[in-house]
Each structure stands twice: as C-alpha cells, then as structure tokens.
C-alpha cells in the first residue's frame, strides 16, 4: 500500500474517533433535547455555506469559521469555564461536525473555489485502501 493511502486512511480513522467522542459527550449532556433535534443540530454548521451566496472568499471565511477546531475549542473552553451546558454542547456539535466532514473528505476551504480544501481537491478519486 502506498504511504499516501495509509496516511489518508489513518487521518480518516482519527476523524471518526473525534466524531464518535464528540457524539458520546453530547449524549451525556443532551440538555433534554430529542435525538431528532440533535441530528438537525449536528448538521447546522453547514448553514455557514450560505456565505458562498456572497462570493467564494466570504463563503470560505464563513465555512472555515464554523468548521475550524480552534473555534470549537474556544467555545468549549468558554462554556466550561462559565459552567454553560449550552455552550459546551454547542462546542461538541462544532467539533463533531467538523471531524465528521473531514472524515468524508471535506476540509477547510481555500478562497478560490469551494472544492479546493486543505485535504486537496474534492471530487478527485482517492482510493483509501
């Protein structure tokens, strides 16, 4: 197996683990919300793609803001330090969603094109194994 394929597979496994851990912590702190609402909330960071209606540069900015782990960790720290269950849960939604996207090959966006990501160009054939 080629080293790049091994690395791609390893990264996807890591992202799957982060997604699973985030979902676990959400299940421990569900705030009394039904599972169906949590599913909707899990995909809510994708609303940030509406920035692409303005232009690709603004779209990349809004997408990356809601899909960057630093944003999730900042919200997590703020929520934890302020004993805010809502912010802590929101942080795990952001963290889990961004890892879920990366597991599927959707990385952070470059401002030139939606399909140009830090993981490479979306849509190109990538054999995992």
């Amino acid at each position: 197996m080629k080293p790049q394929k091994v690395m791609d597979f390893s990264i996807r496994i890591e992202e799957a683990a982060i997604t699973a851990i985030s979902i676990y912590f959400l299940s421990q702190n569900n705030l009394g919300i039904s599972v169906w609402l949590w599913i909707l909330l899990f995909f809510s960071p994708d609303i940030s793609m509406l920035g692409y209606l303005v232009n690709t540069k603004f779209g990349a900015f809004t997408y990356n803001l809601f899909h960057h782990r630093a944003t999730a960790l900042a919200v997590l720290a703020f929520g934890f330090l302020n004993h805010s269950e809502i912010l802590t849960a929101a942080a795990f939604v952001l963290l889990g969603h961004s890892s879920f996207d990366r597991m599927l090959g959707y990385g952070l966006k470059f401002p030139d094109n939606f399909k140009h990501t830090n993981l490479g160009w979306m849509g190109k054939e990538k054999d995992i194994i």
Side-chain angles (χ1 to χ4, degrees):
M1 190 177 331
K2 293 181 180 179
Q4 184 61 42
K5 289 181 183 180
V6 171
M7 183 60 81
D8 287 346
F9 182 72
S10 176
I11 289 171
R12 288 179 191 246
I13 295 297
E14 178 182 35
E15 299 300 347
I18 294 170
T19 301
I21 289 168
S22 296
I23 291 170
Y24 169 77
F25 280 113
L26 281 171
S27 73
Q28 297 302 302
N29 183 25
N30 68 12
L31 305 174
I33 297 174
S34 76
V35 70
W36 299 111
L37 185 54
W38 276 118
I39 291 170
L40 285 174
L41 289 172
F42 185 80
F43 290 103
S44 66
D46 283 338
I47 292 172
S48 64
M49 286 190 286
L50 291 175
Y52 280 97
L53 295 174
V54 175
N55 61 40
T56 56
K57 186 175 181 180
F58 186 71
F61 172 77
T62 58
Y63 182 91
N64 291 342
L65 180 64
F66 286 92
H67 288 80
H68 201 286
R69 287 197 188 118
T71 303
L73 292 174
V75 173
L76 181 62
F78 191 77
F80 181 76
L81 292 173
N82 289 290
H83 307 286
S84 172
E85 292 180 359
I86 292 173
L87 287 178
T88 302
F92 281 116
V93 167
L94 290 171
L95 185 63
H97 178 84
S98 64
S99 290
F100 179 75
D101 274 6
R102 289 179 185 156
M103 178 182 69
L104 297 177
Y106 300 106
L108 298 174
K109 308 300 182 198
F110 284 100
D112 62 336
N113 189 308
F114 178 79
K115 292 186 175 191
H116 189 193
T117 77
N118 68 313
L119 302 175
W121 285 88
M122 290 172 27
K124 295 221 177 205
E125 286 294 320
K126 278 188 170 182
D127 294 329
I128 301 292
I129 297 179

